[in-house]
């Protein structure tokens, strides 16, 4: 609420409820050009972030612009897209929506109804009480409409949703009709992904399989499912994000996110020891999935090193991405507790963010102080006995930091 701060949207008063973006590396709050339509008590109405873009609802009258170009500045609710780097604001072509906005790559999803779009999608002869999920392709302007059945998640070119078997029959062929099934649909091919028969290398499918497995466990309470399932979803979302400079950075981030799932299971007193063992060791997408992601990370590291060596003759010096990755690999490979590694990786992620800003044209001189701050925090953590780093860990990580500092000094 503005009266807790200042006139954030520059409309001459401090009476508005606004959604702002805080840049951790610079300490700056984004200056939104409009008051988004959302409810503080309903997180489903909040904006969606994908890469450098935020998608949010706003009325033309709030923005003071004719977003859809129809010659009228109206109360119509639009879904707008703001680029956080250059501050540009554009209409997505979508209006009159409700529910949670999700955005990933070329796609954005939202809730709608047959009545809203004026079309009998299911062919039942009426437009009443037929609610839908809309999946809009930002690249070509097309929209797919799917039956609204339960929880939804948007990945890169994949839309998954849950539905209760009930009168639909035994969808997973386990002899009953009491399960909640996860359906994942490839948006380009418009095909259902068989999450019960995933290829070993299809990590996204296997994450969905694990979510389905957790959803249907009778020995987990709904509260425990509500705790564990979102952790797997976060790891899957991390896998699908296109914000990493290379595959190594991506898999390191996925492993870091997935570790929270493992670390959360063990302290839960209400989960039987046998169930804990199954969730992290025996189920095919527990420990085995993590091991496979580690293998992919190692392959990505080897490929990155090979690429760097192959391009060595054309390079004026060490590659900044490789040096940052070197710090990350040294940290993740250390014997320190996961909590310590997570704190250290937060500093590395801060360095990655600043490096991306500089490569995007930001003033390096203005950001160098933030880089130095992240590095000093890492060095302070290394020498703190409470963090649990071994002598070998300290030597390895310090060497990686030293290499990066040499590059900065140059």
């Amino acid at each position: 609420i503005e009266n807790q701060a200042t006139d954030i949207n520059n409309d001459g008063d401090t009476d508005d409820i606004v959604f702002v973006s805080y840049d951790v590396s610079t300490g700056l709050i984004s200056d939104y050009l409009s008051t988004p339509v959302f409810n503080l008590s309903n997180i489903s109405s909040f904006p969606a972030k994908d890469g450098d873009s935020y998608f949010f609802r706003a009325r033309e009258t709030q923005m003071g612009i004719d977003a859809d170009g129809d010659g009228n500045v109206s109360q119509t609710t639009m879904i707008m897209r703001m680029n956080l780097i250059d501050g540009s604001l554009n209409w997505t072509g979508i209006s009159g929506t409700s529910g949670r906005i999700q955005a990933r790559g070329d796609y954005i999803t939202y809730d709608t109804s047959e009545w809203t779009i004026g079309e009998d999608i299911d062919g039942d002869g009426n437009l009443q009480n037929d609610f839908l999920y809309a999946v809009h392709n930002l690249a070509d302007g097309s929209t797919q409409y799917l039956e609204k059945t339960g929880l939804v998640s948007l990945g890169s070119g994949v839309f998954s949703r849950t539905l209760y078997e009930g009168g639909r029959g035994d969808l997973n062929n386990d002899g009953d009709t009491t399960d909640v099934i996860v359906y994942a649909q490839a948006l380009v091919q418009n095909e259902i992904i068989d999450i019960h028969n995933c290829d070993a290398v299809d990590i996204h499918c296997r994450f969905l399989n694990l979510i389905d497995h957790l959803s249907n466990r009778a020995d987990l309470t709904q509260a425990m499912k509500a705790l564990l399932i979102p952790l797997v979803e976060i790891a899957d979302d991390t896998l699908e994000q296109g914000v990493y400079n290379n595959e190594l950075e991506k898999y390191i981030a996925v492993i870091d996110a997935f570790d929270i799932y493992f670390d959360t299971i063990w302290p839960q007193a209400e989960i039987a020891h046998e169930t804990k063992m199954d969730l992290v060791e025996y189920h095919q997408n527990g420990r085995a999935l993590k091991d496979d992601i580690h293998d992919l990370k190692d392959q990505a590291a080897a490929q990155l090193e090979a690429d760097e060596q192959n391009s060595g003759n054309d390079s004026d010096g060490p590659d900044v991405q490789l040096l940052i990755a070197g710090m990350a690999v040294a940290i993740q490979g250390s014997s320190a507790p996961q909590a310590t590694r997570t704190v250290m990786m937060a500093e590395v992620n801060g360095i990655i963010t600043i490096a991306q800003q500089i490569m995007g044209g930001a003033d390096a001189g203005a950001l160098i102080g933030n880089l130095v701050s992240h590095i000093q925090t890492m060095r302070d953590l290394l020498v703190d006995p409470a963090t649990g780093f071994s002598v070998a860990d300290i030597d390895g990580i310090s060497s990686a930091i030293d290499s990066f500092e040499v590059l900065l000094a140059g």
Side-chain angles (χ1 to χ4, degrees), residues 74 94 97 112 160 217 290 355 371:
S74 69
I94 304 168
T97 70
T112 188
S160 61
R217 289 198 68 118
K290 182 181 176 183
L371 280 174

Side-chain angles (χ1 to χ4, degrees), residues 64 247 295 309:
E247 291 292 284
D295 290 341
Q309 291 175 347

Side-chain angles (χ1 to χ4, degrees), residues 198-212:
C198 302
D199 292 333
V201 296
D202 192 342
I203 302 300
H204 173 62
C205 179
R206 292 169 65 187
F207 271 132
L208 293 178
N209 180 280
L210 180 54
I211 292 169
D212 182 64

